[in-house]
Amino acid sequence: MDIRAQLSMSFHMDKCIGCHTCSVSCKNVWTTRRGAEYMWWNNVETKPGAGYPVTWEDQDRYRGGWEVSGGSLRLKLLKGPGKIRSLANIFFQPNLPTIDDYYEPFTFDYQHLFNAPAGDDQPTARARSLITGDFMEKIVLGPNWDDDMGGSPLYASNDPNLKGLSDSQKEMLTKFHKLFFFYLPRICNHCLNPACVASCPSGAIYKRGEDGIVLIDQDTCRAWRFCVSACPFKKPYYNWANGKSEKCIFCYPRTETGQANACAHACTGRIRFVGVLLYDADKIEDVAKSSDERLVEAMRDICLDPNDPKVIEGAIKAGITQDWITAAQNSPAYNLFVKWRIATPNHPEFRTVPMNFYIPPLSPILHDSKAGSGGVFDPISDEFFNDVDKMRVPLRYLANMLSAGNEQVIAESLKKQMAVRMYVRQQRVGDVGESKVKSVLSDVGLTAQDCEDIYRLTALGTFQERFVIPETHRETMTTVEPRTMYEKRGTIGFGTKKQHLVSRTW
Ligand code: SF4
Ligand code: SF4
């Protein structure tokens, strides 16, 4: 067993209000440089919707992530296996998103509002391109364009997650006036099997041993942009002004001192949770190769129980300090993803083993003939509880986005969320029978204490409960042997013991 620690962020999608405070906080702190105008290390997109960059989830188009080929993991973007084939492709990347796939960044000519000569009309601030400096006649895209267009059929119908939905389900989600939408906040997933790291010809990208944060060494980056192509989440960005790639750094200068990431700290909906996971690095390759059906379960299996004495002993031997172990024991990430099983990873089928997790959103249940009078469900009826497949957002859609197509994983999370609501209603309002709540809790595998804890964390959680971030021990960094292959990136050869971590290509 090779025990390591990973910082992880979880998102409660039901609570995100799409205010973009997170995105603006991140932008103000990290991406105000020239060349970074179009970058949103944290972005929030409307779902259903095409996203940012457009249709980033469509790997037939972008060829990001990994595929299993002949029993081995292979980067999708490379046409064949092996270093020589990869080198042959180094100047040719047809799958890179262009600025038109992101959007042309712009500002407004605000000064004109003050300086315009007196006239008959109110002066207006015209849009000006932040790339060319020219006025823009028409703005055709933005980082959350679907929201600006209200999720209209024109844009939302391009959402790759609509695959497999019936026509009526698609209409329900995307038709103007009938549409239903929610928000997907995204940062880099700081994956365990990061395609960006494996693809970089310069060895500029690495995953830190102490906390699993994936970073780009700006001195080593040679602008090959393989990371942009290889990341299926499109989270590395190319800075056209300085010729380097950049990405979300999980606010490491903040987390190293125990502070929450800027996006999480600022989140008005209090939808974000940050914590530590302990995992077994020896199993990464097996997890990444798991069948779609088993992927989420395999990801849960790789996470270790931080209260298990054997894990604690192994973690200490591996150089993980007691405060990190204690943080792992109080980790919202462990509780939401592993213990309560209500959070799931975004697109695990990309096989990067992403380390951020999402609590899927509940949505109204569609009324039909079963609903009785007026098509209104009694919120504590059996129909209401059992008909998760009749929600406005179809299970298939959420499964396409959050569980590699496994609808059971989503149904389990939604039912647990509903069970917690029923439990709290019984406690606070008292109009649900105790025996009914008991039977519902046993159906979904939660205890009364679990419900109290889930309710406490997700509805009332304080800063300290939502963000359990231990400080980094810089004082040990010079004496502790680097724990991951990523830190030894300059000396990684092919076939080293640790190579399985990313099946490194270069
Ligand atoms: S999401 Fe994963 S693959 Fe993409 S940049 Fe982050 S660590 Fe790399
Ligand atoms: S700040 Fe929070 S609630 Fe607002 S968009 Fe970001 S994640 Fe959603």
Side-chain angles (χ1 to χ4, degrees), residues 188-191 194-196 214 231-233 235-236 247 352:
C188 164
N189 284 289
H190 299 277
C191 310
C196 57
V214 174
C231 171
F233 302 95
K235 277 297 166 186
K247 65 179 280 303
T352 60

Side-chain angles (χ1 to χ4, degrees), residues 78 84-93 199 201-202 223-226 506:
L78 300 175
I84 302 298
R85 296 289 292 273
S86 310
L87 277 169
N89 290 328
I90 199 164
F91 295 110
F92 180 58
Q93 288 195 61
S199 69
S202 314
W224 294 112
R225 283 174 270 180
F226 268 73
W506 300 96

Side-chain angles (χ1 to χ4, degrees), residues 240-419:
W240 52 267
N242 68 10
K244 305 282 182 185
S245 290
E246 303 176 0
K247 65 179 280 303
C248 157
I249 57 172
F250 207 77
C251 282
Y252 73 82
R254 294 177 60 87
T255 58
E256 280 182 1
T257 53
Q259 299 177 75
N261 321 55
C263 56
H265 186 118
C267 176
T268 49
R270 300 183 175 191
I271 79 149
R272 296 181 185 229
F273 310 88
V274 183
V276 175
L277 285 172
L278 300 180
Y279 68 95
D280 180 3
D282 281 339
K283 289 190 184 157
I284 294 174
E285 185 176 9
D286 288 343
V287 172
K289 284 191 204 164
S290 301
S291 65
D292 283 359
E293 198 62 18
R294 240 197 71 72
L295 260 168
V296 175
E297 210 48 50
M299 284 183 64
R300 287 190 173 127
D301 286 349
I302 202 177
C303 299
L304 301 168
D305 179 354
N307 294 301
D308 179 339
K310 277 195 191 132
V311 171
I312 296 172
E313 191 187 330
I316 290 169
K317 271 193 196 144
I320 298 171
T321 49
Q322 184 55 51
D323 52 343
W324 277 70
I325 294 169
T326 308
Q329 289 166 342
N330 298 314
S331 167
Y334 183 79
N335 287 338
L336 292 168
F337 180 51
V338 186
K339 185 177 171 196
W340 299 323
R341 299 166 62 92
I342 55 173
T344 66
N346 188 203
H347 288 297
E349 75 279 13
F350 296 162
R351 301 181 187 284
T352 60
V353 195
M355 281 290 107
N356 294 334
F357 305 104
Y358 292 85
I359 302 176
L362 291 167
S363 53
I365 291 190
L366 286 175
H367 63 79
D368 61 10
S369 54
K370 266 177 77 183
S373 62
V376 178
F377 272 112
D378 175 357
I380 54 173
S381 68
D382 285 341
E383 284 91 349
F384 181 78
F385 187 72
N386 290 319
D387 287 0
V388 284
D389 56 342
K390 288 200 167 53
M391 285 188 170
R392 285 288 299 271
V393 183
L395 283 183
R396 165 96 338 238
Y397 181 84
L398 292 173
N400 284 346
M401 188 192 300
L402 297 170
S403 63
N406 186 334
E407 293 184 20
Q408 282 309 316
V409 171
I410 304 298
E412 180 185 357
S413 169
L414 297 180
K415 282 196 166 195
K416 282 183 169 170
Q417 291 181 60
M418 289 165 78

Side-chain angles (χ1 to χ4, degrees), residues 16-22 44 185 267-269 271-272:
C16 178
I17 54 174
C19 63
H20 298 268
T21 312
C22 48
V44 182
C267 176
T268 49
I271 79 149
R272 296 181 185 229

